[in-house]
Amino acid sequence: MSATDVAALAGTETRRFRVFRSKRDDGKSRFDTFDVPVGPRTTVLEALRWIQVHEDRTLALRHSCFHASCGTCGVLVNGREVLGCVTMVHDLGRTITVEPLANIPVLTDLVVDMEEFYGRLPDDTPVIRRSGFQPDSAPPDGIGAYTRYEDCIECGLCVSACPVAATSDGYVGPAALAAGQRLLEEPRGTDPDRILDWADDPLGAWRCHAAFECTEACPSNVNPAARIMAFRGVLVGGRLTLQEEDETR
């Protein structure tokens, strides 16, 4: 039974998916086309899993939690970075192109190799992180609300969207810099000077061109671009302090 027949029986509609394919054994890449029955609440991840079950069991993709917490289902959809598990097919047009994230090595099909991404995080990044708001917490006077910067789910969307990461293999990237800036605000036993030395590098905080594409792509409102600008402020402030101390000697 075709996807069109399935859609008709289920009272749904059919969307055409162009899915990037690449296997190590043939060394070539291509796009395969699939007609997928979808409903008003079908997500990109659900459509890809339908392809995997009903059309091509060799399609490789990553996923885990299904509710935007793990970050493993990050892909490019019609040229934009998204989490497949919370991106509705209904809003994407009749033909939907799905590709692996950019600026990260592709292992196979839609699966990228995140080893280098994790390796660029600061060495002092803690494994255990505190999460959630204290029920009795309240912002200080003059501040309307808290903004959390520790919600990074390490999905890689910001690196994929970053134009600098596309042209500079050595750039540590927005996710790593955001994590470093978070450590400055709440060191948790780490040495802030080590974090500053790590970021104060031509391929660290100074390599960012402030395109803010990373913030646009971030699904967790971490705002990595603002974190990088804050990092620069601390670095510049520290340098000015040292210069003033030298001048008074």
Side-chain angles (χ1 to χ4, degrees), residues 212-244:
F212 282 75
E213 292 290 342
C214 56
T215 290
E216 183 69 23
C218 180
S220 300
N221 298 316
V222 173
N223 198 355
R227 293 293 85 202
I228 296 171
M229 296 304 105
F231 229 149
R232 287 181 175 180
V234 175
L235 291 169
V236 171
R239 286 178 171 179
L240 290 176
T241 300
L242 291 174
Q243 183 178 348
E244 291 170 357

Side-chain angles (χ1 to χ4, degrees), residues 147-214:
T147 300
R148 289 170 57 96
Y149 290 108
E150 61 180 326
D151 284 338
C152 176
I153 58 175
E154 298 172 0
C155 60
L157 268 61
C158 61
V159 173
S160 176
C162 176
V164 177
T167 59
S168 177
D169 291 338
Y171 177 45
V172 297
L177 288 169
Q181 171 60 18
R182 179 61 185 163
L183 286 175
L184 284 184
E185 294 182 336
E186 191 176 346
R188 308 185 190 193
T190 61
D191 182 359
D193 288 333
R194 289 182 58 188
I195 300 298
L196 289 170
D197 290 342
W198 168 80
D200 192 12
D201 184 274
L203 293 174
W206 305 112
R207 189 69 179 88
C208 171
H209 288 182
F212 282 75
E213 292 290 342
C214 56

Side-chain angles (χ1 to χ4, degrees), residues 21-116:
R21 308 301 302 275
S22 177
K23 300 296 184 183
R24 285 184 171 182
D25 54 358
D26 59 23
K28 299 177 182 179
S29 62
R30 66 181 190 276
F31 283 90
D32 286 347
T33 301
F34 305 93
D35 291 327
V36 182
V38 301
R41 300 296 295 172
T42 301
T43 66
V44 169
L45 178 55
E46 289 170 336
L48 292 173
R49 282 168 52 83
W50 189 93
I51 294 170
Q52 200 176 47
V53 171
H54 297 282
E55 295 286 343
D56 189 343
R57 293 183 181 275
T58 68
L59 175 62
L61 61 146
R62 297 172 69 230
H63 65 83
S64 184
C65 74
F66 289 90
H67 54 81
S69 291
C70 71
T72 56
C73 65
V75 287
L76 281 172
V77 174
N78 293 344
R80 299 298 297 178
E81 288 78 12
V82 301
L83 294 179
C85 67
V86 291
T87 302
M88 299 298 164
V89 171
H90 185 267
D91 304 324
L92 298 174
R94 304 302 305 177
T95 300
I96 300 161
T97 300
V98 185
E99 302 170 84
L101 295 178
N103 308 324
I104 303 174
V106 176
L107 290 175
T108 179
D109 293 344
L110 302 176
V111 180
V112 295
D113 186 353
M114 297 293 286
E115 182 177 0
E116 186 174 306

